[in-house]
Amino acid sequence: MKERKRINLNSYLFANLVIVSVLLIGLWNRKPVWDVSLRFPNLLLILVLLNTILIFREVILGKRTTPSRGRQKKQSRQKLRNLNELRVVLRNSPKIDENLLHRSLLRLREICGSDSVTLYILENGQCRQVAGAGELPAALNGSRFINREHSVFIKFPGSLGEEEIGKISAGNKPMSFKSALIRLELTALPLTLHQNKIGLCVFSSREAHKSPPIPLTSTALFLETLLALVENAGNTGDGRYKDKSTGLFLFECFADSFETEVERSERYKQEMSLLTISVRGFTKLDSDNAQQIARSAAAALKQSLRRLDLMFCGKNDGEFLAILTETGAEVAEIVAKRVQKTFAKQNEKFDFINSSELKMFIGSAAYPANATHGDGLLEKSRESLNQAINENVEFKAYGAINQ
């Protein structure tokens, strides 16, 4: 309303000049417009004063450009979407786990309007995708992000090479990137995580990518806090100790849990299977790479087994154990092959892996088909594993050893 009522001085100046012209023409022709006696010097003085005020009004009355710029900045700030909807996701979450990350990214993608939002963790020259929402552009499938000398690079699959996305500044400013090699545009938001790890939140679109219309500094703070919260929740078990790196139960917890499951299967006359797992070539890796492979094995187990199944670290490095409740020998073989397939897929993103040197072997034994007590079941499952390693086959069930 104030804008509509504001006096337009330019229109008054134009009208004034028109009146001056009419009066001057009338005086020149000695035919005044009004039949009155006018003194020309006085009239000219009045008009000069009025025109001077109108022409130099900005100097006399003060400039009005500063409020206009302020209004423009205010309007640009109003275009940013707020992140209050993310609080609703956290408040309504039944528990804090990796699903919370996925749900938060789904809502964040809806808020910012990007086709995909993906979280990565960059450590030791490797890239690990933590969570994502939406469909990745084709150019990002198979690509990896690398943190090198305080700069982020993207390495494309095949022989396309790599490009620098930008440098990580002290304030973790967002980086806009447009590839010169392929059709790819994205916005990368660096994240500072626990133990000096670097995270990366990537906003991308298949075409016509635009910078997310959200406060990126607040977004970074939210994601950093959420990642720390999920990691802390994953490291706290339900009374049984877990390995902090893989999230699997420690080997020290296996004996008690295994005995309990055998007793339950005996009481309710249910089948049960035990998988013993060994990764060949694990001991030849350095500590950082070995940790990556252990996480891949743990992720493969978590994605392939059911919620009621139990997963443990083995006695030695590169070994794992899995108790499949209410599962017979045939289903155990299907699950084992699914674990191996997922494990191989997880490792495709690592450059240090030679598929001929790194291989997962699984041995299986079933209760009560192969043994009626816990010690016998464990022994026969390990015997199956040794047979698989000796014959260089990925899976071996105890019932198939003597066939």
Side-chain angles (χ1 to χ4, degrees):
M1 295 297 293
K2 291 182 179 180
E3 294 288 341
R4 295 179 181 177
K5 293 181 179 180
R6 180 170 295 174
I7 298 175
N8 192 336
L9 297 182
N10 288 327
S11 61
Y12 277 92
L13 175 61
F14 178 76
N16 184 279
L17 292 175
V18 171
I19 296 173
V20 169
S21 301
V22 172
L23 292 177
L24 289 177
I25 292 173
L27 292 174
W28 179 264
N29 295 329
R30 296 181 180 181
K31 294 180 180 180
V33 180
W34 296 284
D35 189 14
V36 292
S37 176
L38 294 175
R39 298 185 62 186
F40 182 77
N42 293 342
L43 177 63
L44 186 61
L45 177 61
I46 293 173
L47 293 176
V48 168
L49 290 175
L50 289 176
N51 285 311
T52 302
I53 294 174
L54 293 175
I55 293 173
F56 298 100
R57 63 185 182 278
E58 292 184 354
V59 178
I60 300 173
L61 302 177
K63 294 185 178 181
R64 299 180 180 271
T65 56
T66 302
S68 177
R69 290 178 182 176
R71 288 193 302 272
Q72 291 177 357
K73 291 182 180 179
K74 184 177 180 180
Q75 290 174 356
S76 64
R77 287 196 299 267
Q78 289 175 348
K79 293 179 181 178
L80 293 178
R81 298 283 304 274
N82 62 62
L83 303 176
N84 288 334
E85 297 177 34
L86 292 179
R87 296 178 177 177
V88 178
V89 177
L90 183 60
R91 183 173 64 246
N92 297 336
S93 178
K95 59 180 180 179
I96 299 174
D97 54 8
E98 294 181 356
N99 290 330
L100 174 58
L101 272 177
H102 179 68
R103 291 192 298 271
S104 298
L105 293 185
L106 279 175
R107 186 59 61 87
L108 183 60
R109 184 181 69 86
E110 295 173 358
I111 295 174
C112 68
S114 299
D115 288 344
S116 68
V117 180
T118 314
L119 276 179
Y120 300 90
I121 291 182
L122 313 181
E123 54 182 343
N124 303 321
Q126 302 298 327
C127 173
R128 177 166 59 94
Q129 181 176 330
V130 180
E135 184 179 355
L136 281 175
L140 271 183
N141 285 325
S143 300
R144 296 190 300 107
F145 297 95
I146 302 174
N147 176 26
R148 187 166 61 235
E149 298 178 354
H150 303 290
S151 296
V152 177
F153 295 82
I154 181 170
K155 185 174 183 180
F156 302 110
S159 58
L160 291 177
E162 66 179 28
E163 289 184 281
E164 182 179 358
I165 293 180
K167 295 188 178 297
I168 301 178
S169 62
N172 285 351
K173 294 182 179 179
M175 299 174 287
S176 298
F177 171 73
K178 183 177 182 180
S179 175
L181 300 177
I182 59 177
R183 187 177 179 181
L184 175 64
E185 295 184 45
L186 56 85
T187 301
L189 179 63
L191 306 174
T192 302
L193 306 178
H194 182 54
Q195 296 178 346
N196 295 325
K197 295 180 182 178
I198 296 296
L200 203 65
C201 182
V202 177
F203 302 86
S204 57
S205 301
R206 289 185 294 273
E207 57 184 16
H209 173 73
K210 297 181 180 179
S211 179
I214 55 176
L216 293 176
T217 302
S218 301
T219 303
L221 178 60
F222 175 83
L223 293 175
E224 290 166 353
T225 306
L226 188 60
L227 283 169
L229 190 64
V230 171
E231 181 181 2
N232 182 67
N235 291 335
T236 57
D238 53 354
R240 293 170 288 189
Y241 296 100
K242 286 187 176 181
D243 177 63
K244 293 183 178 180
S245 176
T246 61
L248 303 181
F249 293 124
L250 296 174
F251 178 73
E252 289 76 8
C253 305
F254 172 74
D256 291 339
S257 298
F258 184 52
E259 183 179 355
T260 301
E261 294 302 325
V262 171
E263 291 177 355
R264 180 180 290 113
S265 298
E266 182 180 0
R267 182 183 304 118
Y268 296 106
K269 305 299 180 183
Q270 295 174 341
E271 293 182 307
M272 184 184 74
S273 294
L274 176 65
L275 302 181
T276 52
I277 305 167
S278 178
V279 179
R280 184 182 65 187
F282 186 89
T283 55
K284 296 180 181 179
L285 301 172
D286 59 44
S287 59
D288 293 333
N289 293 339
Q291 190 177 48
Q292 294 287 343
I293 297 302
R295 289 175 179 171
S296 294
L301 288 169
K302 292 175 182 177
Q303 293 179 24
S304 304
L305 273 61
R306 301 167 304 171
R307 183 175 60 87
L308 297 178
D309 298 330
L310 301 175
M311 297 155 279
F312 302 85
C313 295
K315 185 177 182 180
N316 302 315
D317 293 338
E319 295 181 353
F320 306 91
L321 295 162
I323 302 174
L324 308 183
T325 59
E326 303 179 18
T327 303
E330 294 181 359
V331 177
E333 181 176 358
I334 296 174
V335 173
K337 292 181 177 180
R338 189 187 306 155
V339 171
Q340 291 167 329
K341 183 178 179 180
T342 306
F343 176 69
K345 187 175 181 180
Q346 289 275 342
N347 295 335
E348 290 178 354
K349 56 190 175 183
F350 300 133
D351 295 335
F352 60 85
I353 290 180
N354 188 333
S355 58
S356 61
E357 296 179 357
L358 196 70
K359 191 174 184 179
M360 175 182 281
F361 295 96
I362 300 179
S364 172
Y367 171 91
N370 305 133
T372 57
H373 55 89
D375 292 339
L377 188 63
L378 178 59
E379 180 181 352
K380 292 178 180 180
S381 179
R382 286 175 173 169
E383 185 177 342
S384 303
L385 174 63
N386 293 332
Q387 190 76 12
I389 295 175
N390 293 335
E391 296 180 7
N392 195 27
V393 294
E394 293 184 342
F395 175 81
K396 200 74 173 179
Y398 181 77
I401 291 179
N402 299 320
Q403 293 181 359

